[in-house]
Amino acid sequence: MKYGIDIGHNCPPDSGASGIRSEDRLTMEVGNKVIDKLESLGHTVIPCKPNSASTVNRSLGSRCDKANSNRVDFFVSIHFNAFNGKANGSEVFAISDSGRKVAQKVLDEIVKLGFFNRGVKSGSHLYVLRRTNMPGILIECCFIDSAKDMQIYDGEAMANAIVAGLTGKVTNTPVNPVPNVPENPVANLPANPVIDQGSNKDKSILRLQQSLNRLKITDKNNRPLTEDNSMGPATSSATEKFQRIVGVLPTGIAGNTTWDAINQILAKRVIQGTHASGVIIRYLQYRVGTDPDGIYGPKTEAAIKKFQQQNGLTADGIIGAMSWQKLID
C-alpha cells in the first residue's frame, strides 16, 4: 500500500503550537518513526511535508499536491493539540466512510496507551483532508500543554499505535530517532535532569546556571546568576524567564523540554532565513530586540542585520559562527 505521511507544520511560517513540549518536535519524532515502521512492513511511503513555503496556505497546498501527484492510497496527517492546559486526550478527523473506519482503528490503538478518547470527528473543515483525492485522516495525538498527556506520551509507543491502526500489524523495528542536538562542553552530561528548587545533587544546577549565563539570561533583578550549584529564587526566575522567551511552559523547573531548548541554541547551528523556526528563532529575536514569535520574517531579518552591523559583522541576516560568537561566549 502507498501511504502519504504528512508530518504536521515544521515549515515556517506554518509552525506548530508550543506547550510543555513543542508540536513541531513531536510531530517530527512520531512522523519519522511512522514512516520507517511502515516501510519496514513493506509499504511505500511518500513524505508530504514541504521543505519551505511562503505562506501557511502554500504549505498546506504543497502537502496535498504531493499526495495527489503521487496517487497515494491513503493520506495521514500527524498533529498534536493545545488548548488551555486542562484539555487532554486523543482524537482523529476524517471525511469519507473509509477514512472514518481507519480513523477509528487508529484511535482505538492510541487510547490503549492511556489517553482519553475524544472520538472520531468530522474533518470537513480541514484543508488537507478536503484537498486530497484519496481517503485520509488527521491525527491529533494528544495535548502538548496537558501535564497528564505529556506524562503518558512516548514517541515510540505513539508511532507503534498509529502503524497498528493503519495496518493491523505491530512492528518494533528500531528506527532512527530524532537526532540529538550536539551539546556544548558545559551541557555535556549523560542526561537532562529535572531541576527544581528541591534539587541539589551532582553538578546539575551548576550546569543550568552556566548555560543560562552563556545565553545571557538574567534573573528577576536582571543580574547574571551566581554559579553556586544551588537552586534558589534567582536561578528559578532565570529559568522561567528563559522558558517564556523560547515558548516553553514557564514553570521555573528545568525539565526535558527546557533542556532541549537550551541544547538546541547552544549547538549554534547556522540559521538562514526561513529555514529555521521555533525555539532558536525566538531566542535570537529576544537577543536582537524584536518580538519573539518564532518566525524569521522581515522584521527579524532587519533586526539581525542591525545587530551584525553594530558588532562589525557582515550584515547578511545569516547567523553563522561569527554571529554566534557575539551572541554566546
Side-chain angles (χ1 to χ4, degrees), residues 208-226:
L208 175 64
Q209 292 167 332
Q210 290 173 329
S211 297
L212 292 174
N213 280 338
R214 288 191 70 200
L215 294 173
K216 306 296 189 294
I217 306 297
T218 54
D219 66 11
K220 60 184 177 182
N221 297 314
N222 291 320
R223 296 172 181 168
L225 296 176
T226 300

Side-chain angles (χ1 to χ4, degrees), residues 58-281:
R58 288 187 179 180
S59 171
L60 297 174
S62 294
R63 299 166 198 264
C64 299
D65 292 344
K66 192 73 174 288
N68 291 337
S69 63
N70 283 277
R71 298 183 180 180
V72 304
D73 300 310
F74 199 86
F75 178 80
V76 181
S77 188
I78 299 172
H79 290 260
F80 284 77
N81 244 326
F83 184 52
N84 61 359
K86 297 179 181 179
N88 66 288
S90 306
E91 57 195 17
V92 184
F93 293 84
I95 293 177
S96 65
D97 288 340
S98 54
R100 280 188 285 271
K101 289 179 182 178
V102 176
Q104 188 63 63
K105 292 178 181 178
V106 170
L107 184 60
D108 288 346
E109 293 294 330
I110 293 175
V111 299
K112 289 178 184 178
L113 302 176
F115 295 101
F116 173 70
N117 189 340
R118 298 175 63 89
V120 172
K121 299 182 178 181
S122 171
S124 59
H125 63 295
L126 296 172
Y127 188 112
V128 293
L129 294 184
R130 288 188 291 107
R131 301 293 181 91
T132 42
N133 300 331
M134 68 293 302
I137 58 175
L138 185 145
I139 306 168
E140 293 283 3
C141 297
C142 61
F143 283 75
I144 59 169
D145 59 348
S146 163
K148 182 177 181 179
D149 280 2
M150 290 297 95
Q151 286 174 352
I152 300 171
Y153 170 77
D154 176 87
E156 184 76 9
M158 182 64 72
N160 280 336
I162 292 171
V163 171
L166 292 173
T167 68
K169 298 179 181 179
V170 177
T171 173
N172 290 314
T173 303
V175 297
N176 294 323
V178 175
N180 288 324
V181 179
E183 297 184 356
N184 64 92
V186 170
N188 192 19
L189 293 180
N192 290 333
V194 175
I195 300 175
D196 57 23
Q197 289 200 43
S199 301
N200 188 21
K201 59 182 180 178
D202 302 324
K203 296 293 183 181
S204 55
I205 300 173
L206 177 61
R207 171 190 171 193
L208 175 64
Q209 292 167 332
Q210 290 173 329
S211 297
L212 292 174
N213 280 338
R214 288 191 70 200
L215 294 173
K216 306 296 189 294
I217 306 297
T218 54
D219 66 11
K220 60 184 177 182
N221 297 314
N222 291 320
R223 296 172 181 168
L225 296 176
T226 300
E227 296 176 4
D228 57 3
N229 198 35
S230 176
M231 191 69 181
T235 301
S236 181
S237 67
T239 301
E240 183 176 342
K241 181 177 182 179
F242 173 76
Q243 290 167 330
R244 292 185 185 280
I245 290 168
V246 300
V248 172
L249 192 67
T251 62
I253 299 171
N256 285 335
T257 306
T258 300
W259 280 115
D260 284 346
I262 289 172
N263 290 334
Q264 282 187 59
I265 297 166
L266 291 178
K268 298 195 279 191
R269 293 177 173 172
V270 175
I271 303 299
Q272 182 172 2
T274 58
H275 295 294
S277 65
V279 165
I280 300 175
I281 296 300

